[in-house]
């Protein structure tokens, strides 16, 4: 079913591209669809292009992992459209022809503006492109049963054909198609979540297959004597201990014990065994020298494994060990999952779930209304099992990633603080609290100001025939986008409540939620999410293509090119940018797509918005000021991102030593870009005796 839906969606997209390719022969046809798109179609296409995998996959995942704080991304993404509606929409249509640099350069006719703006479009498009390609691979991996990098390659190839062949017309109708389907099926999935309600005792089957009932993590009583655990497990002995330490207070926030124990095994008659490990049945090679010990206990074969257990306090106050899951990369490069070899039969289990609801409700809520669902999940008596991760390296050189669940009160899960801690925790230094608040403010600033500066959003204003149509299409977009972001809250909490979370990536929460209702809905949601990738990526590549062919090529080579040459260049650029996006999408697989999109918004808000606003509303802006603002915005935003704690981790360094103490650069780079524009404009205006003559106020 899933493969059939995937093939149908790809076929429809390629058919649209083939049908519209005849309209893409001219410059106007290829880059802006000859400004002939109806405002209603353009409004839905706005939504289809804007509601990227960051919205559908990333935000749903962030809500599932971090509750209310994940929904703040939805609020920020939507709020940015207020700036687009009241400030940008009509002036952009009146002042531009094909690209963002046309609007900036209309009052100046300065080649430097086109060069700087073209470079900015390329940089922002690439930053936005990477999370879309990451999401593409995450989607196609379970859909087709292939590896992540092949998923990225397939999606990238389809997008390259789409953009290079059909240009803006095909991009528009793919985005229109995607916008309508996305809203429809998000609503269907939300209704399914409400109809299911919340039940601590009943969870859906994992992966939609019989025999994979949601696994209940085992708990065993434990006595700690001399730092060693004593538990009633067959053949159990402690072989390791690790504590997660709060960097601010030095307190141990989680303690894990590594136990060697015996698990019942079944011989296959060929020196091999199978054993049930956390609900899955991996194969063990029992041959000599394989490294797996088969021991007899009570006359039955058992396999000895090592797994990790978290020390916790039970309901009666006694201490217990609770099973966790883990992935270990051994010094020789081999991988173990929960003590057994990594294989198709031995993967991490889904996590999450609600372990308790208010007593007055009973065993389950049954079907609930939208407000009732949020009320139950927000109750202090509700307990949400929130997935967390601990990473460390053992003395033997094993790189461990432990996945465990943190019982969290619903009242805590559904209020701000889990992802963006705005209040100081006990013993936390004042500086840490300040940095947390600055990071949150910086993110919200980038989301609010970045929307109206995104290249693939700005170019949509050139596809309609008039400024009035641009305004109407923006209103349609806000209505559709606003409705969708309300639905993301229910998709996110539905995923955590239903135990539909892949512990290794938050990006799969929405598709796994759909699969918990059956393969048909999973296939449809995954197919729609696939078109979401195509819609957004095609818009980004179109923006980059127009930037190079229309803005950069003539300025760099300093000669005029024919329309045919510009269209041909645009198509070649689409191929090159698509290939770059494929490579980066593979490299950044494990990062949340919404988080990376936040960086793209920060770069756009720093490089593009100050120049656009000051050009429109400040008559003293000069060409030199605009150029300086764009370049400083790019360099400062990108530079601070590269020096941020999250990137410092990717380099293999301690994030606490990162030169940039927060992850979001907007709070520094956006004001800096404005200041540079004002200072340089005032200096050059006095020297040149000229300034911008703004025609739209």
């Amino acid at each position: 079913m899933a493969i059939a839906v995937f093939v149908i969606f790809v076929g429809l997209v390629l058919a649209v591209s083939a049908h519209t390719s005849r309209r893409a022969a001219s410059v106007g046809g290829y880059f802006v669809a000859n400004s002939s798109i109806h405002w209603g179609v353009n409004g839905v296409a706005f939504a289809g292009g804007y509601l990227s995998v960051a919205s559908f996959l990333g935000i749903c995942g962030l809500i599932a992992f971090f509750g209310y704080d994940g929904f703040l991304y939805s609020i920020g993404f939507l709020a940015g459209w207020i700036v687009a509606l009241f400030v940008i929409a009509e002036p952009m249509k009146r002042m531009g022809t094909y690209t963002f640099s046309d609007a900036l350069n209309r009052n100046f006719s300065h080649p430097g503006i086109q060069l700087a703006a073209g470079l900015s479009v390329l940089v922002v498009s690439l930053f936005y492109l990477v999370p879309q390609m990451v999401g593409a691979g995450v989607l196609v991996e379970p859909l087709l049963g292939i590896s992540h990098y092949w998923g990225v390659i397939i999606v990238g190839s389809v997008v390259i054909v789409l953009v290079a062949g059909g240009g803006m017309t095909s991009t528009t109708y793919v985005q229109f198609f995607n916008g309508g389907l996305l809203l429809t099926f998000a609503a269907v999935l939300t209704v399914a979540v409400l109809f299911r309600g919340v039940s601590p005792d009943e969870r859906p089957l994992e992966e939609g297959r019989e025999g994979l009932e949601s696994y209940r993590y085992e708990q065993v009583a434990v006595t700690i004597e001399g730092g060693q655990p004593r538990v009633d497990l067959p053949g159990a002995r402690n072989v390791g201990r690790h504590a997660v330490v709060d960097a601010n207070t030095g307190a141990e926030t989680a303690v894990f014990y590594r136990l060697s124990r015996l698990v019942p095994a079944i011989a296959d008659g060929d020196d091999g065994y199978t054993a049930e490990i956390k609900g899955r049945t991996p194969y063990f090679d029992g041959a000599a020298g394989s490294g797996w010990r088969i021991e007899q206990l009570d006359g039955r074969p058992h396999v000895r494994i090592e797994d990790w257990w978290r020390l916790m306090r039970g309901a009666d106050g006694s201490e217990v060990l609770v099973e966790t899951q883990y992935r270990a990369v051994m010094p020789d490069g081999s991988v173990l999952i929960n003590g057994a070899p990594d294989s198709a039969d031995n993967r991490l289990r889904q996590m999450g779930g609600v372990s308790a609801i208010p007593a007055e409700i009973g065993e389950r809520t049954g079907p609930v209304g939208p407000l009732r669902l949020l009320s139950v999940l927000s109750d202090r008596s509700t307990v949400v099992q929130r997935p967390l991760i601990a990473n460390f390296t053992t003395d033997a050189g094993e790189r461990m990633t432990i996945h465990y669940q943190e019982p969290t009160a619903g009242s805590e899960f559904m209020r701000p603080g889990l992802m963006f801690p705005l209040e100081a925790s006990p013993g936390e230094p004042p500086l840490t609290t300040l940095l947390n608040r600055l990071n949150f403010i910086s993110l919200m600033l980038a989301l609010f100001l970045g929307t109206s500066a995104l290249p693939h959003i700005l170019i949509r204003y050139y596809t309609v025939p008039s400024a009035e149509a641009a305004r109407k299409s923006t209103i349609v977009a806000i209505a559709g986008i606003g409705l969708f972001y309300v639905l993301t809250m229910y998709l996110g909490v539905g995923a955590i409540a239903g135990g539909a979370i892949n512990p290794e990536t938050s990006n799969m929460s929405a598709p796994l939620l759909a699969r918990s209702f059956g393969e048909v809905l999973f296939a449809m949601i995954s197919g729609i999410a696939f078109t979401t990738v195509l819609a957004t990526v095609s818009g980004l590549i179109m923006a980059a293509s127009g930037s190079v062919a229309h803005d950069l090529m003539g300025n760099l080579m300093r000669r005029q090119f024919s329309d045919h040459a510009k269209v041909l260049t645009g198509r070649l650029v689409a191929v090159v940018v698509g290939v770059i996006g494929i490579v980066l999408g593979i490299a950044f697989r494990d990062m949340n797509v919404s988080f990376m999109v936040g960086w793209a918004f920060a770069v756009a808000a720093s490089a593009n918005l100050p120049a656009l606003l000051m050009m429109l509303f400040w008559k003293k802006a000069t060409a030199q000021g605009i150029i300086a603002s764009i370049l400083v915005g790019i360099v400062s935003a990108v530079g601070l991102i590269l020096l941020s704690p999250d990137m410092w981790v990717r380099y293999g360094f301690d994030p606490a030593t990162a030169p940039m103490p927060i992850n979001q650069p907007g709070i520094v780079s956006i004001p800096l870009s404005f200041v540079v524009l004002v200072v340089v404009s005032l200096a050059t205006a006095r020297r040149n005796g000229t300034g911008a003559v703004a025609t739209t106020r």
Side-chain angles (χ1 to χ4, degrees), residues 168 341 345 421 444:
M168 179 54 79
D345 295 324
M444 290 297 106

Side-chain angles (χ1 to χ4, degrees), residues 39 60 64 66 93 108 299 306 317 327 346 352 371 381 384 418 447 497 502 540 548 623-624 639 642 691:
W39 59 265
C60 291
F66 299 102
K93 176 58 187 174
F108 300 100
E306 294 181 357
R327 175 185 293 272
N346 186 41
L371 297 181
S381 301
V384 177
L418 291 180
L447 297 183
N502 181 332
L540 290 167
V548 173
Q624 292 88 343
L642 295 177

Side-chain angles (χ1 to χ4, degrees), residues 22-280:
R22 291 171 294 178
R23 308 181 195 179
S26 65
V27 172
Y30 183 79
F31 291 116
V32 294
N34 290 318
S35 298
S36 60
I37 303 298
H38 186 272
W39 59 265
V41 173
N42 197 55
V44 178
F46 256 136
Y50 187 72
L51 294 175
S52 62
V53 292
S55 298
F56 188 41
L57 302 184
I59 291 178
C60 291
L62 289 177
I63 293 173
F65 275 70
F66 299 102
Y68 179 84
D69 279 9
F71 188 62
L72 292 174
Y73 274 87
S74 292
I75 296 173
F77 285 152
L78 180 61
W81 280 92
I82 304 301
V83 178
L85 174 62
F86 291 106
V87 180
I88 300 299
E90 296 188 34
M92 279 296 295
K93 176 58 187 174
R94 286 197 294 266
M95 299 189 71
T97 55
Y98 297 129
T99 64
F100 164 64
S101 69
D102 284 339
L104 283 184
N105 205 31
R106 178 168 180 174
N107 295 329
F108 300 100
S109 297
H110 194 294
I113 291 180
Q114 286 190 299
L115 287 172
L119 176 63
S120 172
V121 169
L122 281 175
V123 172
V124 174
S125 296
L126 283 175
F127 263 88
Y128 209 108
L129 183 61
V130 173
Q132 313 309 316
M133 301 305 275
V134 171
V138 168
L139 271 173
V140 177
E141 189 173 3
L143 191 66
L144 302 183
I146 59 179
S147 60
H148 177 272
Y149 69 88
W150 275 115
V152 174
I153 291 172
I154 290 173
V155 171
S157 301
V158 173
V159 172
I160 288 171
V161 172
L162 169 69
V163 176
M168 179 54 79
T169 303
S170 65
T171 296
T172 297
Y173 283 101
V174 168
Q175 291 176 340
F176 174 79
F177 177 63
N178 169 69
L181 286 178
L182 196 58
L183 285 168
T184 299
F185 278 88
V188 169
L189 193 51
T190 297
V191 171
V193 168
L194 296 174
F195 186 80
R196 171 187 285 169
V198 182
S199 172
D201 297 322
E202 297 180 16
R203 296 185 212 164
L205 302 180
E206 282 192 28
E207 302 168 15
R209 290 159 44 192
E210 294 293 336
L212 281 179
E213 289 81 8
S214 290
Y215 184 77
R216 302 294 173 146
Y217 292 100
E218 188 176 356
Q219 297 186 15
V220 294
V222 61
T223 301
I224 307 297
E225 297 179 354
Q228 297 296 320
R230 295 183 57 186
V231 296
D232 185 18
L233 288 172
R237 61 176 181 265
N238 179 40
V239 292
R241 181 184 187 276
H242 177 78
V244 177
V245 179
D246 189 299
N248 296 314
T249 64
E252 293 183 345
T253 58
V255 176
F256 303 97
Y257 284 97
R258 189 178 196 173
L259 300 183
S260 173
R261 64 187 180 109
L262 296 175
V263 177
I266 300 176
D268 66 355
D270 191 26
D271 293 330
Y273 297 84
T274 57
E276 183 174 322
I277 308 295
K278 301 188 193 325
R280 298 195 185 275

